Amino acid sequence: MGRRMELNVLVLPGDGIGPEVTREAVRVLEHVAARWGHALRLREGLLGGIAIRKTGGPFPDQTRELAMASDATLLGAVGLPEFDDLPPSKRPEKGLLGLRKALDVYANLRPVYCFESLIESSPLKNDIVRGTDILIVRELTGGLYFGQPRGIHGPEGSETAVNSMVYARSEIERVCHMAFDLARKRKRKVTSVDKANVLENSQLWRRVVAELAEGYPDVELEHMLVDNCAMQLLLRPTEFDVVVTENLFGDILSDEGSVLAGSIGMLPSASVGNRLPNGAWRGLFEPVHGSAPDIAGQGKANPLAAIGSAAAMLNYSFGLTEEAAAIESAVSQVLDSGRVTADLKPTGPPASTAEVGQAVCDAIA
Ligand code: IPM
Ligand code: MN
């Protein structure tokens, strides 16, 4: 048994299926904390649509303070149809973007892994998806999501809308360093994805990555245009290792990646940036999927992306690799058992969100 730790975690269940998948991730965290003797200190806060309803804004000051005071934040999902007609600045999603920026978590790690027992869950041919093991490193606090100027201007009937893809060299460098460092622990290959045949922004991106690569002679670098990458991911996914890219490109490619993993309900993510004084990464951990309001509250949602995000938290924020590996191996056992939610197309009746969470706890040795 390793060191006993104090884990200060903020939980932001958010909207739609967020609360129910987060509940299962917390169940697993509590189980692991008890089993390994860690003190889990949970706080809960408001973010997204629920925060707009209760406080008038998607990212209340209190949530910001709680997040800054925690070692790690576990998030469910944000977004509700009732806010669909509002401008971006007033929507639930704005809360999530504000939180990412406040925590300065500039690198969003999104593993896309095809479990052998889920091979039939993907609509793609078995031979294509078998062995897929990709880590998408999505830049998370810059690019098109945050660039200025932005807005809709001009009189109704003849408006102009603008968004800007902006990157400073330093922003490209820090996320690409992260990608190269991560590749060194994997298959030592980085695919940098851009649109350098059209965008100046991508030309700078490509130049900076190529310069950095000289410091990593043991890692192979390839450049790929984003449109081609969208195609290659479905044609030959097993040839990718680490993929590093701009914020919006990464958002789009990671949803595509979920088709390789069998379901978007399988994709966890870890957003990291700067290290805390104790050496741990202050991170934000959230499933890649959205709030799926159409199935919210019905116990149908797959909690494995949220549970995988909790495992990533133990790994990255607390260095608890043994505990994280125990969760991952329990998830694999549950998948093998076939007691999975409907999105994974089980042969028998689908399991509920809570049953899957409990099964993961039961499978942790
Ligand atoms: C994601 C989501 C978010 C994003 C939304 C909810 C703002 O799609 O995490 O991929 O676009 O980053
Ligand atoms: Mn997305």
Side-chain angles (χ1 to χ4, degrees), residues 225-257:
L225 297 173
V226 63
D227 47 352
N228 184 32
C229 181
M231 180 170 72
Q232 299 303 330
L233 275 174
L234 302 184
L235 289 176
R236 47 174 198 94
T238 56
E239 285 173 42
F240 289 92
D241 180 22
V242 173
V243 171
V244 63
T245 192
E246 188 271 342
N247 201 342
L248 179 67
F249 295 163
D251 178 49
I252 297 169
L253 293 177
S254 54
D255 267 39
E256 187 187 4

PDB file of all heavy atoms in Angstrom, residues 225-257:
ATOM      1  N   LEU A 225      -3.033  17.554 -42.690  1.00  0.00           N
ATOM      2  CA  LEU A 225      -4.107  18.540 -42.809  1.00  0.00           C
ATOM      3  C   LEU A 225      -5.363  17.972 -42.154  1.00  0.00           C
ATOM      4  O   LEU A 225      -5.619  16.766 -42.202  1.00  0.00           O
ATOM      5  CB  LEU A 225      -4.366  18.862 -44.282  1.00  0.00           C
ATOM      6  CG  LEU A 225      -3.177  19.514 -45.000  1.00  0.00           C
ATOM      7  CD1 LEU A 225      -3.462  19.634 -46.502  1.00  0.00           C
ATOM      8  CD2 LEU A 225      -2.865  20.886 -44.407  1.00  0.00           C
ATOM      9  N   VAL A 226      -6.134  18.862 -41.557  1.00  0.00           N
ATOM     10  CA  VAL A 226      -7.257  18.390 -40.729  1.00  0.00           C
ATOM     11  C   VAL A 226      -8.308  17.636 -41.544  1.00  0.00           C
ATOM     12  O   VAL A 226      -8.895  16.658 -41.054  1.00  0.00           O
ATOM     13  CB  VAL A 226      -7.866  19.562 -39.919  1.00  0.00           C
ATOM     14  CG1 VAL A 226      -8.455  20.648 -40.817  1.00  0.00           C
ATOM     15  CG2 VAL A 226      -8.907  19.048 -38.934  1.00  0.00           C
ATOM     16  N   ASP A 227      -8.546  18.045 -42.761  1.00  0.00           N
ATOM     17  CA  ASP A 227      -9.546  17.331 -43.573  1.00  0.00           C
ATOM     18  C   ASP A 227      -9.058  15.917 -43.875  1.00  0.00           C
ATOM     19  O   ASP A 227      -9.812  14.939 -43.755  1.00  0.00           O
ATOM     20  CB  ASP A 227      -9.895  18.107 -44.861  1.00  0.00           C
ATOM     21  CG  ASP A 227      -8.679  18.614 -45.629  1.00  0.00           C
ATOM     22  OD1 ASP A 227      -7.544  18.516 -45.117  1.00  0.00           O
ATOM     23  OD2 ASP A 227      -8.872  19.096 -46.767  1.00  0.00           O
ATOM     24  N   ASN A 228      -7.780  15.805 -44.206  1.00  0.00           N
ATOM     25  CA  ASN A 228      -7.218  14.474 -44.449  1.00  0.00           C
ATOM     26  C   ASN A 228      -7.226  13.637 -43.166  1.00  0.00           C
ATOM     27  O   ASN A 228      -7.528  12.440 -43.192  1.00  0.00           O
ATOM     28  CB  ASN A 228      -5.795  14.623 -45.000  1.00  0.00           C
ATOM     29  CG  ASN A 228      -5.179  13.286 -45.366  1.00  0.00           C
ATOM     30  OD1 ASN A 228      -5.879  12.362 -45.786  1.00  0.00           O
ATOM     31  ND2 ASN A 228      -3.885  13.159 -45.184  1.00  0.00           N
ATOM     32  N   CYS A 229      -6.943  14.278 -42.043  1.00  0.00           N
ATOM     33  CA  CYS A 229      -6.920  13.553 -40.772  1.00  0.00           C
ATOM     34  C   CYS A 229      -8.299  12.967 -40.464  1.00  0.00           C
ATOM     35  O   CYS A 229      -8.413  11.829 -39.993  1.00  0.00           O
ATOM     36  CB  CYS A 229      -6.473  14.477 -39.643  1.00  0.00           C
ATOM     37  SG  CYS A 229      -6.385  13.652 -38.060  1.00  0.00           S
ATOM     38  N   ALA A 230      -9.343  13.753 -40.749  1.00  0.00           N
ATOM     39  CA  ALA A 230     -10.704  13.258 -40.508  1.00  0.00           C
ATOM     40  C   ALA A 230     -10.930  11.963 -41.279  1.00  0.00           C
ATOM     41  O   ALA A 230     -11.603  11.043 -40.800  1.00  0.00           O
ATOM     42  CB  ALA A 230     -11.719  14.315 -40.930  1.00  0.00           C
ATOM     43  N   MET A 231     -10.342  11.883 -42.455  1.00  0.00           N
ATOM     44  CA  MET A 231     -10.497  10.672 -43.274  1.00  0.00           C
ATOM     45  C   MET A 231      -9.583   9.552 -42.778  1.00  0.00           C
ATOM     46  O   MET A 231     -10.031   8.407 -42.614  1.00  0.00           O
ATOM     47  CB  MET A 231     -10.190  11.021 -44.735  1.00  0.00           C
ATOM     48  CG  MET A 231     -10.307   9.863 -45.687  1.00  0.00           C
ATOM     49  SD  MET A 231     -10.225  10.392 -47.390  1.00  0.00           S
ATOM     50  CE  MET A 231      -8.517  10.832 -47.546  1.00  0.00           C
ATOM     51  N   GLN A 232      -8.316   9.885 -42.521  1.00  0.00           N
ATOM     52  CA  GLN A 232      -7.361   8.835 -42.108  1.00  0.00           C
ATOM     53  C   GLN A 232      -7.755   8.178 -40.788  1.00  0.00           C
ATOM     54  O   GLN A 232      -7.475   6.998 -40.571  1.00  0.00           O
ATOM     55  CB  GLN A 232      -5.940   9.408 -42.000  1.00  0.00           C
ATOM     56  CG  GLN A 232      -5.374   9.968 -43.297  1.00  0.00           C
ATOM     57  CD  GLN A 232      -5.353   8.957 -44.432  1.00  0.00           C
ATOM     58  OE1 GLN A 232      -5.229   7.753 -44.214  1.00  0.00           O
ATOM     59  NE2 GLN A 232      -5.520   9.437 -45.662  1.00  0.00           N
ATOM     60  N   LEU A 233      -8.428   8.935 -39.918  1.00  0.00           N
ATOM     61  CA  LEU A 233      -8.847   8.354 -38.624  1.00  0.00           C
ATOM     62  C   LEU A 233      -9.783   7.168 -38.839  1.00  0.00           C
ATOM     63  O   LEU A 233      -9.806   6.238 -38.035  1.00  0.00           O
ATOM     64  CB  LEU A 233      -9.556   9.411 -37.770  1.00  0.00           C
ATOM     65  CG  LEU A 233      -8.670  10.314 -36.924  1.00  0.00           C
ATOM     66  CD1 LEU A 233      -9.523  11.401 -36.266  1.00  0.00           C
ATOM     67  CD2 LEU A 233      -7.918   9.519 -35.858  1.00  0.00           C
ATOM     68  N   LEU A 234     -10.554   7.234 -39.912  1.00  0.00           N
ATOM     69  CA  LEU A 234     -11.494   6.139 -40.175  1.00  0.00           C
ATOM     70  C   LEU A 234     -10.905   5.077 -41.098  1.00  0.00           C
ATOM     71  O   LEU A 234     -11.397   3.954 -41.146  1.00  0.00           O
ATOM     72  CB  LEU A 234     -12.787   6.690 -40.789  1.00  0.00           C
ATOM     73  CG  LEU A 234     -13.519   7.733 -39.954  1.00  0.00           C
ATOM     74  CD1 LEU A 234     -14.834   8.124 -40.611  1.00  0.00           C
ATOM     75  CD2 LEU A 234     -13.765   7.261 -38.532  1.00  0.00           C
ATOM     76  N   LEU A 235      -9.846   5.436 -41.843  1.00  0.00           N
ATOM     77  CA  LEU A 235      -9.250   4.475 -42.769  1.00  0.00           C
ATOM     78  C   LEU A 235      -8.163   3.633 -42.105  1.00  0.00           C
ATOM     79  O   LEU A 235      -8.059   2.435 -42.334  1.00  0.00           O
ATOM     80  CB  LEU A 235      -8.628   5.216 -43.970  1.00  0.00           C
ATOM     81  CG  LEU A 235      -9.596   5.857 -44.965  1.00  0.00           C
ATOM     82  CD1 LEU A 235      -8.824   6.628 -46.032  1.00  0.00           C
ATOM     83  CD2 LEU A 235     -10.476   4.790 -45.608  1.00  0.00           C
ATOM     84  N   ARG A 236      -7.316   4.299 -41.284  1.00  0.00           N
ATOM     85  CA  ARG A 236      -6.179   3.583 -40.692  1.00  0.00           C
ATOM     86  C   ARG A 236      -5.874   4.120 -39.291  1.00  0.00           C
ATOM     87  O   ARG A 236      -4.788   4.631 -39.018  1.00  0.00           O
ATOM     88  CB  ARG A 236      -4.942   3.696 -41.607  1.00  0.00           C
ATOM     89  CG  ARG A 236      -4.671   5.103 -42.109  1.00  0.00           C
ATOM     90  CD  ARG A 236      -3.367   5.214 -42.884  1.00  0.00           C
ATOM     91  NE  ARG A 236      -2.961   6.598 -42.970  1.00  0.00           N
ATOM     92  CZ  ARG A 236      -2.130   7.196 -42.130  1.00  0.00           C
ATOM     93  NH1 ARG A 236      -1.606   6.563 -41.110  1.00  0.00           N
ATOM     94  NH2 ARG A 236      -1.811   8.463 -42.287  1.00  0.00           N
ATOM     95  N   PRO A 237      -6.854   3.986 -38.388  1.00  0.00           N
ATOM     96  CA  PRO A 237      -6.699   4.561 -37.041  1.00  0.00           C
ATOM     97  C   PRO A 237      -5.525   3.994 -36.262  1.00  0.00           C
ATOM     98  O   PRO A 237      -4.953   4.687 -35.422  1.00  0.00           O
ATOM     99  CB  PRO A 237      -8.025   4.213 -36.346  1.00  0.00           C
ATOM    100  CG  PRO A 237      -8.621   3.102 -37.142  1.00  0.00           C
ATOM    101  CD  PRO A 237      -8.162   3.313 -38.552  1.00  0.00           C
ATOM    102  N   THR A 238      -5.130   2.762 -36.557  1.00  0.00           N
ATOM    103  CA  THR A 238      -4.063   2.155 -35.748  1.00  0.00           C
ATOM    104  C   THR A 238      -2.689   2.748 -36.053  1.00  0.00           C
ATOM    105  O   THR A 238      -1.737   2.473 -35.340  1.00  0.00           O
ATOM    106  CB  THR A 238      -4.007   0.628 -35.965  1.00  0.00           C
ATOM    107  OG1 THR A 238      -3.842   0.390 -37.363  1.00  0.00           O
ATOM    108  CG2 THR A 238      -5.274  -0.039 -35.475  1.00  0.00           C
ATOM    109  N   GLU A 239      -2.605   3.567 -37.101  1.00  0.00           N
ATOM    110  CA  GLU A 239      -1.304   4.177 -37.393  1.00  0.00           C
ATOM    111  C   GLU A 239      -1.067   5.477 -36.631  1.00  0.00           C
ATOM    112  O   GLU A 239       0.002   6.060 -36.710  1.00  0.00           O
ATOM    113  CB  GLU A 239      -1.141   4.381 -38.901  1.00  0.00           C
ATOM    114  CG  GLU A 239      -0.861   3.050 -39.573  1.00  0.00           C
ATOM    115  CD  GLU A 239      -0.844   3.136 -41.082  1.00  0.00           C
ATOM    116  OE1 GLU A 239      -0.282   4.099 -41.620  1.00  0.00           O
ATOM    117  OE2 GLU A 239      -1.417   2.222 -41.711  1.00  0.00           O
ATOM    118  N   PHE A 240      -2.075   5.924 -35.877  1.00  0.00           N
ATOM    119  CA  PHE A 240      -1.882   7.132 -35.070  1.00  0.00           C
ATOM    120  C   PHE A 240      -1.405   6.758 -33.672  1.00  0.00           C
ATOM    121  O   PHE A 240      -1.784   5.707 -33.128  1.00  0.00           O
ATOM    122  CB  PHE A 240      -3.206   7.899 -34.934  1.00  0.00           C
ATOM    123  CG  PHE A 240      -3.663   8.565 -36.203  1.00  0.00           C
ATOM    124  CD1 PHE A 240      -4.522   7.906 -37.085  1.00  0.00           C
ATOM    125  CD2 PHE A 240      -3.247   9.854 -36.523  1.00  0.00           C
ATOM    126  CE1 PHE A 240      -4.959   8.516 -38.257  1.00  0.00           C
ATOM    127  CE2 PHE A 240      -3.678  10.472 -37.688  1.00  0.00           C
ATOM    128  CZ  PHE A 240      -4.536   9.806 -38.557  1.00  0.00           C
ATOM    129  N   ASP A 241      -0.638   7.668 -33.082  1.00  0.00           N
ATOM    130  CA  ASP A 241      -0.279   7.528 -31.665  1.00  0.00           C
ATOM    131  C   ASP A 241      -0.772   8.782 -30.940  1.00  0.00           C
ATOM    132  O   ASP A 241      -1.907   8.814 -30.475  1.00  0.00           O
ATOM    133  CB  ASP A 241       1.241   7.319 -31.534  1.00  0.00           C
ATOM    134  CG  ASP A 241       1.702   7.173 -30.100  1.00  0.00           C
ATOM    135  OD1 ASP A 241       0.875   6.814 -29.242  1.00  0.00           O
ATOM    136  OD2 ASP A 241       2.888   7.420 -29.821  1.00  0.00           O
ATOM    137  N   VAL A 242       0.030   9.836 -30.899  1.00  0.00           N
ATOM    138  CA  VAL A 242      -0.421  11.098 -30.312  1.00  0.00           C
ATOM    139  C   VAL A 242      -0.797  12.057 -31.438  1.00  0.00           C
ATOM    140  O   VAL A 242      -0.054  12.206 -32.399  1.00  0.00           O
ATOM    141  CB  VAL A 242       0.685  11.731 -29.435  1.00  0.00           C
ATOM    142  CG1 VAL A 242       0.277  13.121 -28.954  1.00  0.00           C
ATOM    143  CG2 VAL A 242       0.989  10.823 -28.237  1.00  0.00           C
ATOM    144  N   VAL A 243      -1.968  12.670 -31.306  1.00  0.00           N
ATOM    145  CA  VAL A 243      -2.425  13.666 -32.274  1.00  0.00           C
ATOM    146  C   VAL A 243      -2.508  14.998 -31.533  1.00  0.00           C
ATOM    147  O   VAL A 243      -3.175  15.077 -30.503  1.00  0.00           O
ATOM    148  CB  VAL A 243      -3.824  13.290 -32.821  1.00  0.00           C
ATOM    149  CG1 VAL A 243      -4.407  14.428 -33.661  1.00  0.00           C
ATOM    150  CG2 VAL A 243      -3.760  12.012 -33.648  1.00  0.00           C
ATOM    151  N   VAL A 244      -1.829  16.028 -32.012  1.00  0.00           N
ATOM    152  CA  VAL A 244      -1.900  17.329 -31.321  1.00  0.00           C
ATOM    153  C   VAL A 244      -2.483  18.360 -32.270  1.00  0.00           C
ATOM    154  O   VAL A 244      -2.120  18.410 -33.447  1.00  0.00           O
ATOM    155  CB  VAL A 244      -0.519  17.762 -30.771  1.00  0.00           C
ATOM    156  CG1 VAL A 244       0.514  17.983 -31.863  1.00  0.00           C
ATOM    157  CG2 VAL A 244      -0.656  19.017 -29.910  1.00  0.00           C
ATOM    158  N   THR A 245      -3.418  19.164 -31.765  1.00  0.00           N
ATOM    159  CA  THR A 245      -4.093  20.083 -32.665  1.00  0.00           C
ATOM    160  C   THR A 245      -4.784  21.234 -31.955  1.00  0.00           C
ATOM    161  O   THR A 245      -4.932  21.248 -30.724  1.00  0.00           O
ATOM    162  CB  THR A 245      -5.098  19.305 -33.554  1.00  0.00           C
ATOM    163  OG1 THR A 245      -5.540  20.155 -34.604  1.00  0.00           O
ATOM    164  CG2 THR A 245      -6.287  18.807 -32.747  1.00  0.00           C
ATOM    165  N   GLU A 246      -5.176  22.191 -32.753  1.00  0.00           N
ATOM    166  CA  GLU A 246      -5.893  23.401 -32.336  1.00  0.00           C
ATOM    167  C   GLU A 246      -7.227  23.030 -31.681  1.00  0.00           C
ATOM    168  O   GLU A 246      -7.784  21.957 -31.913  1.00  0.00           O
ATOM    169  CB  GLU A 246      -6.108  24.243 -33.613  1.00  0.00           C
ATOM    170  CG  GLU A 246      -6.666  25.617 -33.445  1.00  0.00           C
ATOM    171  CD  GLU A 246      -8.192  25.682 -33.466  1.00  0.00           C
ATOM    172  OE1 GLU A 246      -8.848  24.724 -33.939  1.00  0.00           O
ATOM    173  OE2 GLU A 246      -8.731  26.693 -33.005  1.00  0.00           O
ATOM    174  N   ASN A 247      -7.754  23.960 -30.876  1.00  0.00           N
ATOM    175  CA  ASN A 247      -8.942  23.742 -30.060  1.00  0.00           C
ATOM    176  C   ASN A 247     -10.160  23.191 -30.834  1.00  0.00           C
ATOM    177  O   ASN A 247     -10.671  22.112 -30.516  1.00  0.00           O
ATOM    178  CB  ASN A 247      -9.275  25.085 -29.382  1.00  0.00           C
ATOM    179  CG  ASN A 247     -10.129  24.929 -28.138  1.00  0.00           C
ATOM    180  OD1 ASN A 247     -10.757  23.908 -27.932  1.00  0.00           O
ATOM    181  ND2 ASN A 247     -10.160  25.963 -27.317  1.00  0.00           N
ATOM    182  N   LEU A 248     -10.607  23.902 -31.850  1.00  0.00           N
ATOM    183  CA  LEU A 248     -11.815  23.456 -32.568  1.00  0.00           C
ATOM    184  C   LEU A 248     -11.553  22.177 -33.369  1.00  0.00           C
ATOM    185  O   LEU A 248     -12.395  21.273 -33.407  1.00  0.00           O
ATOM    186  CB  LEU A 248     -12.327  24.555 -33.505  1.00  0.00           C
ATOM    187  CG  LEU A 248     -13.578  24.166 -34.313  1.00  0.00           C
ATOM    188  CD1 LEU A 248     -14.794  23.987 -33.405  1.00  0.00           C
ATOM    189  CD2 LEU A 248     -13.901  25.190 -35.385  1.00  0.00           C
ATOM    190  N   PHE A 249     -10.376  22.084 -33.993  1.00  0.00           N
ATOM    191  CA  PHE A 249     -10.065  20.859 -34.738  1.00  0.00           C
ATOM    192  C   PHE A 249     -10.117  19.660 -33.779  1.00  0.00           C
ATOM    193  O   PHE A 249     -10.639  18.589 -34.103  1.00  0.00           O
ATOM    194  CB  PHE A 249      -8.669  20.928 -35.372  1.00  0.00           C
ATOM    195  CG  PHE A 249      -8.482  21.983 -36.443  1.00  0.00           C
ATOM    196  CD1 PHE A 249      -7.194  22.370 -36.822  1.00  0.00           C
ATOM    197  CD2 PHE A 249      -9.564  22.581 -37.078  1.00  0.00           C
ATOM    198  CE1 PHE A 249      -6.998  23.333 -37.813  1.00  0.00           C
ATOM    199  CE2 PHE A 249      -9.369  23.549 -38.065  1.00  0.00           C
ATOM    200  CZ  PHE A 249      -8.085  23.923 -38.428  1.00  0.00           C
ATOM    201  N   GLY A 250      -9.580  19.847 -32.573  1.00  0.00           N
ATOM    202  CA  GLY A 250      -9.554  18.764 -31.591  1.00  0.00           C
ATOM    203  C   GLY A 250     -10.938  18.406 -31.095  1.00  0.00           C
ATOM    204  O   GLY A 250     -11.239  17.238 -30.829  1.00  0.00           O
ATOM    205  N   ASP A 251     -11.784  19.408 -30.969  1.00  0.00           N
ATOM    206  CA  ASP A 251     -13.169  19.155 -30.562  1.00  0.00           C
ATOM    207  C   ASP A 251     -13.846  18.240 -31.576  1.00  0.00           C
ATOM    208  O   ASP A 251     -14.472  17.237 -31.229  1.00  0.00           O
ATOM    209  CB  ASP A 251     -13.920  20.491 -30.464  1.00  0.00           C
ATOM    210  CG  ASP A 251     -15.378  20.303 -30.105  1.00  0.00           C
ATOM    211  OD1 ASP A 251     -15.654  19.573 -29.139  1.00  0.00           O
ATOM    212  OD2 ASP A 251     -16.242  20.876 -30.801  1.00  0.00           O
ATOM    213  N   ILE A 252     -13.675  18.573 -32.852  1.00  0.00           N
ATOM    214  CA  ILE A 252     -14.347  17.827 -33.912  1.00  0.00           C
ATOM    215  C   ILE A 252     -13.739  16.421 -34.054  1.00  0.00           C
ATOM    216  O   ILE A 252     -14.462  15.420 -34.108  1.00  0.00           O
ATOM    217  CB  ILE A 252     -14.249  18.601 -35.247  1.00  0.00           C
ATOM    218  CG1 ILE A 252     -14.987  19.939 -35.122  1.00  0.00           C
ATOM    219  CG2 ILE A 252     -14.814  17.766 -36.396  1.00  0.00           C
ATOM    220  CD1 ILE A 252     -14.741  20.903 -36.265  1.00  0.00           C
ATOM    221  N   LEU A 253     -12.419  16.347 -34.096  1.00  0.00           N
ATOM    222  CA  LEU A 253     -11.779  15.041 -34.315  1.00  0.00           C
ATOM    223  C   LEU A 253     -12.026  14.082 -33.156  1.00  0.00           C
ATOM    224  O   LEU A 253     -12.088  12.866 -33.352  1.00  0.00           O
ATOM    225  CB  LEU A 253     -10.272  15.219 -34.548  1.00  0.00           C
ATOM    226  CG  LEU A 253      -9.893  15.951 -35.843  1.00  0.00           C
ATOM    227  CD1 LEU A 253      -8.380  16.133 -35.907  1.00  0.00           C
ATOM    228  CD2 LEU A 253     -10.398  15.207 -37.088  1.00  0.00           C
ATOM    229  N   SER A 254     -12.194  14.620 -31.930  1.00  0.00           N
ATOM    230  CA  SER A 254     -12.407  13.685 -30.818  1.00  0.00           C
ATOM    231  C   SER A 254     -13.801  13.075 -30.857  1.00  0.00           C
ATOM    232  O   SER A 254     -13.975  11.903 -30.493  1.00  0.00           O
ATOM    233  CB  SER A 254     -12.087  14.330 -29.470  1.00  0.00           C
ATOM    234  OG  SER A 254     -12.784  15.523 -29.279  1.00  0.00           O
ATOM    235  N   ASP A 255     -14.802  13.823 -31.298  1.00  0.00           N
ATOM    236  CA  ASP A 255     -16.112  13.187 -31.471  1.00  0.00           C
ATOM    237  C   ASP A 255     -16.035  12.110 -32.555  1.00  0.00           C
ATOM    238  O   ASP A 255     -16.621  11.032 -32.430  1.00  0.00           O
ATOM    239  CB  ASP A 255     -17.187  14.211 -31.865  1.00  0.00           C
ATOM    240  CG  ASP A 255     -17.940  14.769 -30.666  1.00  0.00           C
ATOM    241  OD1 ASP A 255     -17.291  15.009 -29.624  1.00  0.00           O
ATOM    242  OD2 ASP A 255     -19.164  14.970 -30.769  1.00  0.00           O
ATOM    243  N   GLU A 256     -15.296  12.382 -33.604  1.00  0.00           N
ATOM    244  CA  GLU A 256     -15.119  11.369 -34.648  1.00  0.00           C
ATOM    245  C   GLU A 256     -14.424  10.138 -34.058  1.00  0.00           C
ATOM    246  O   GLU A 256     -14.800   8.998 -34.346  1.00  0.00           O
ATOM    247  CB  GLU A 256     -14.299  11.926 -35.817  1.00  0.00           C
ATOM    248  CG  GLU A 256     -14.247  10.955 -36.987  1.00  0.00           C
ATOM    249  CD  GLU A 256     -13.295  11.393 -38.102  1.00  0.00           C
ATOM    250  OE1 GLU A 256     -12.608  12.420 -37.958  1.00  0.00           O
ATOM    251  OE2 GLU A 256     -13.239  10.675 -39.104  1.00  0.00           O
ATOM    252  N   GLY A 257     -13.439  10.393 -33.212  1.00  0.00           N
ATOM    253  CA  GLY A 257     -12.699   9.295 -32.590  1.00  0.00           C
ATOM    254  C   GLY A 257     -13.597   8.362 -31.792  1.00  0.00           C
ATOM    255  O   GLY A 257     -13.327   7.168 -31.680  1.00  0.00           O
TER     256      GLY A 257
END
